[in-house]
Amino acid sequence: MTDDPLQQSGQRSPGSPLPPANDRDGRVVPFRERLSCTVDEACVVTGLGRTKLYELIGSGQLITTIGRRRLVIVRSLLDLVDRTISA
């Protein structure tokens, strides 16, 4: 649990690029432990634009779910970053 009252209340902390994701009990879920994120959240955490992310999705380098909205599988995003760093 964090000592930051803004994070505990689910509000965005100053300087924080993303609002924290909370589980059903209100606990903050670290980004690495989330199963999925929105395309906008993926843009923020990677610094890539939407066009580039959709190119990566189209080429199969990022895995997404498709339903009423497209969600990026966080593990595939982290794997992509790991492969890029180690290359």
Side-chain angles (χ1 to χ4, degrees), residues 18 21 28-37 45 73-82 85:
L18 297 175
V28 175
V29 179
F31 188 80
R32 284 187 159 281
E33 294 178 17
R34 293 176 60 184
L35 297 177
S36 63
C37 67
V45 297
I73 303 301
V74 170
R75 183 72 251 159
S76 73
L77 187 62
L78 295 173
D79 289 345
L80 174 72
V81 172
D82 289 342
I85 291 172

